[in-house]
Amino acid sequence: MSEDGGAGRGVGAGAALPQPSAGVHDEQEDEEAIVNRISLFLSTFTLAVSAGAVLLLPFSIISNEILLSFPQNYYIQWLNGSLIHGLWNLASLFSNLCLFVLMPFAFFFLESEGFAGLKKGIRARVLETLVMLLLLALLVLGIVWVASALIGNDAASMASLYDLWEFYLPYLYSCISLMGCLLLLLCTPVGLSRMFTVTGQLLVKPAILEDLDEQIYIITLEEEALQRRLNGLSSPVEYNMTELEQELEDVKTLKTKLERRKKASAWERNLVYPAVMVLLLIETSISVVLVACNILCLLVDETAMPKGARGPGIGNASLSTFGFVGAALEIILIFYLMVSSVVGFYSLRCFGSFTPRKDDTTMTKIIGNCVSILVLSSALPVMSRTLGLHKLHLSNTSRDSETAKTSANGHQKAL
């Protein structure tokens, strides 16, 4: 009786153990889906801000040429230096917001689980994320405060450290732009050299002294042979299954490229590819010549330095000697440099793992890519200044006297 009773108690205790229900598992999946959706939305917004920052420079050049062509037109009076100056301020504001608030929030929100002892859920994760953001803000502000104090140790500099909106945030964004410039110095030369290879992979090369039908026939036989080897394996020990599958995928990819080359028209093979390569060569040569000329001007002429140069107001003078054609060429070069810097960024060995892949990119890697693009876009105006492309003074003539203000502590603030 006692044994039966003991057995009965054991069965009863085992039956009373709590089992994870499907509802709890579904709630966890829904919570992760919401977190990923919020992080993806913030990343998309950051990427949109980066695109806006890149497009502002060509927009400023186009606006200047339009005002020069139609100075008295009533319908374009809204296009003035105040508008463009305000757009640049908004771009700087949203860049700071994305770089120091939204992207850290997305990362910490993605990695958070909630503090121990609190009920798990979205609110607990938001609370942990906000605490981490507060600690990060104190750390960054402290580092910048110490760096500013070391650079300028006078009383005016120390007083400016407490001017958060007028001095602190622009100074912090300037530090990020400096980091972006250093990154551009590494990425742009690599990207200019890699543009030919990347373009060659996207376009169809001319079939000179090549028999595409024979190559497709050979690659088809190789694909069939690999498929038979995979289907005829008696055990996975006989051959390395993973290596055979990878080799089969490579063969299929090569076959797809050969079929695409065969289906391409004669115009695409024999005209588009050489024309694009010649265009890339011309743009690269012009970029190198502009860099060399501008560096020589900076070395010889002191007024060419940014601190001594004050460009004309928008709508007062053309940026190029060739007028609208020269401005269009500058816009093309700006986009070419931005694309080259992005290609060079992903071509660097230390950032190669950041390259996004279809259906195989984690949310953390997406956030890292958005931050990298934002840093590169923030440094694009400085890179264009190095090339001598952008010399506009973004305020109109009526506000020229207000472009420099003096704060109460004696520091000059340039808008």
Side-chain angles (χ1 to χ4, degrees), residues 270-299:
N270 302 322
L271 182 62
V272 175
Y273 182 83
V276 171
M277 286 298 171
V278 171
L279 183 62
L280 286 179
L281 181 62
I282 293 174
E283 290 180 346
T284 305
S285 304
I286 293 176
S287 302
V288 173
V289 171
L290 284 176
V291 170
C293 294
N294 202 50
I295 289 177
L296 289 177
C297 291
L298 293 176
L299 292 175

Side-chain angles (χ1 to χ4, degrees), residues 18-312:
Q19 299 293 332
S21 62
V24 175
H25 184 67
D26 292 340
E27 289 180 0
Q28 292 178 352
E29 288 186 350
D30 292 341
E31 180 181 329
E32 291 297 330
I34 293 174
V35 170
N36 287 329
R37 194 178 299 116
I38 293 175
S39 299
L40 184 61
F41 173 77
L42 295 178
S43 301
T44 306
F45 180 76
T46 301
L47 201 60
V49 172
S50 304
V54 171
L55 293 175
L56 264 182
L57 201 55
F59 177 74
S60 303
I61 298 175
I62 293 175
S63 302
N64 182 68
E65 299 301 325
I66 290 177
L67 289 176
L68 281 175
S69 302
F70 308 98
Q72 303 299 330
N73 195 320
Y74 173 77
Y75 295 101
I76 60 172
Q77 293 301 313
W78 56 271
L79 194 61
N80 51 39
S82 300
L83 172 66
I84 299 178
H85 188 271
L87 291 177
W88 278 103
N89 285 337
L90 287 177
S92 176
L93 173 63
F94 282 111
S95 297
N96 279 305
L97 180 66
C98 293
L99 195 59
F100 300 113
V101 179
L102 298 185
M103 285 293 93
F105 178 87
F107 176 76
F108 290 131
F109 191 48
L110 193 67
E111 299 294 331
S112 63
E113 296 180 356
F115 291 113
L118 295 180
K119 184 180 179 181
K120 302 298 182 181
I122 298 295
R123 292 183 178 179
R125 300 180 72 161
V126 170
L127 179 61
E128 181 183 353
T129 303
L130 293 178
V131 172
M132 293 297 297
L133 278 180
L134 179 61
L135 295 177
L136 179 65
L138 292 177
L139 177 63
V140 173
L141 292 176
I143 292 175
V144 177
W145 195 90
V146 172
S148 303
L150 291 177
I151 294 174
N153 200 20
D154 55 333
S157 299
M158 296 298 293
S160 296
L161 295 177
Y162 301 99
D163 197 348
L164 182 65
W165 185 258
E166 294 289 340
F167 178 81
Y168 208 100
L169 290 179
Y171 177 78
L172 193 59
Y173 187 68
S174 299
C175 295
I176 300 299
S177 298
L178 176 61
M179 293 173 54
C181 290
L182 297 177
L183 190 59
L184 280 177
L185 289 177
L186 295 175
C187 298
T188 306
V190 177
L192 290 175
S193 61
R194 284 279 300 170
M195 283 294 292
F196 296 92
T197 304
V198 174
T199 306
Q201 294 174 353
L202 298 176
L203 299 178
V204 178
K205 298 181 181 179
I208 302 175
L209 301 177
E210 285 184 304
D211 190 351
L212 294 179
D213 293 329
E214 182 180 356
Q215 293 184 18
I216 292 175
Y217 177 72
I218 294 174
I219 205 70
T220 303
L221 292 178
E222 186 176 353
E223 180 185 3
E224 293 175 354
L226 288 172
Q227 192 66 50
R228 284 195 298 269
R229 289 175 63 184
L230 283 173
N231 295 334
L233 289 178
S234 58
S235 64
V237 183
E238 186 177 355
Y239 293 100
N240 193 337
M241 182 77 71
T242 306
E243 291 182 359
L244 285 178
E245 290 178 351
Q246 182 63 39
E247 188 175 354
L248 181 60
E249 289 296 326
D250 295 340
V251 168
K252 289 181 178 180
T253 303
L254 181 58
K255 182 181 178 181
T256 303
K257 292 180 179 179
L258 290 174
E259 290 176 347
R260 180 172 177 267
R261 291 183 62 186
K262 183 181 178 180
K263 294 178 181 178
S265 62
W267 288 93
E268 186 179 357
R269 289 197 306 265
N270 302 322
L271 182 62
V272 175
Y273 182 83
V276 171
M277 286 298 171
V278 171
L279 183 62
L280 286 179
L281 181 62
I282 293 174
E283 290 180 346
T284 305
S285 304
I286 293 176
S287 302
V288 173
V289 171
L290 284 176
V291 170
C293 294
N294 202 50
I295 289 177
L296 289 177
C297 291
L298 293 176
L299 292 175
V300 175
D301 189 5
E302 184 181 358
T303 60
M305 296 294 291
K307 65 179 182 179
R310 175 65 70 181

Side-chain angles (χ1 to χ4, degrees), residues 229-398:
R229 289 175 63 184
L230 283 173
N231 295 334
L233 289 178
S234 58
S235 64
V237 183
E238 186 177 355
Y239 293 100
N240 193 337
M241 182 77 71
T242 306
E243 291 182 359
L244 285 178
E245 290 178 351
Q246 182 63 39
E247 188 175 354
L248 181 60
E249 289 296 326
D250 295 340
V251 168
K252 289 181 178 180
T253 303
L254 181 58
K255 182 181 178 181
T256 303
K257 292 180 179 179
L258 290 174
E259 290 176 347
R260 180 172 177 267
R261 291 183 62 186
K262 183 181 178 180
K263 294 178 181 178
S265 62
W267 288 93
E268 186 179 357
R269 289 197 306 265
N270 302 322
L271 182 62
V272 175
Y273 182 83
V276 171
M277 286 298 171
V278 171
L279 183 62
L280 286 179
L281 181 62
I282 293 174
E283 290 180 346
T284 305
S285 304
I286 293 176
S287 302
V288 173
V289 171
L290 284 176
V291 170
C293 294
N294 202 50
I295 289 177
L296 289 177
C297 291
L298 293 176
L299 292 175
V300 175
D301 189 5
E302 184 181 358
T303 60
M305 296 294 291
K307 65 179 182 179
R310 175 65 70 181
I314 184 170
N316 294 332
S318 178
L319 294 178
S320 175
T321 309
F322 302 100
F324 190 81
V325 177
L329 178 61
E330 291 180 353
I331 293 173
I332 293 174
L333 288 177
I334 288 172
F335 283 119
Y336 179 62
L337 287 174
M338 186 61 193
V339 174
S340 300
S341 64
V342 173
V343 172
F345 175 78
Y346 290 115
S347 300
L348 293 176
R349 184 174 301 177
C350 53
F351 299 110
S353 60
F354 266 49
T355 306
R357 293 176 176 84
K358 184 180 179 181
D359 299 329
D360 191 24
T361 305
T362 61
M363 197 64 227
T364 305
K365 190 179 292 185
I366 292 176
I367 294 174
N369 278 275
C370 293
V371 171
S372 303
I373 298 298
L374 181 62
V375 172
L376 289 175
S377 65
S378 67
L380 183 63
V382 183
M383 175 62 71
S384 302
R385 185 73 179 187
T386 304
L387 291 175
L389 295 177
H390 184 58
K391 297 179 180 178
L392 275 180
H393 180 46
L394 292 180
S395 59
N396 52 17
T397 55
S398 63

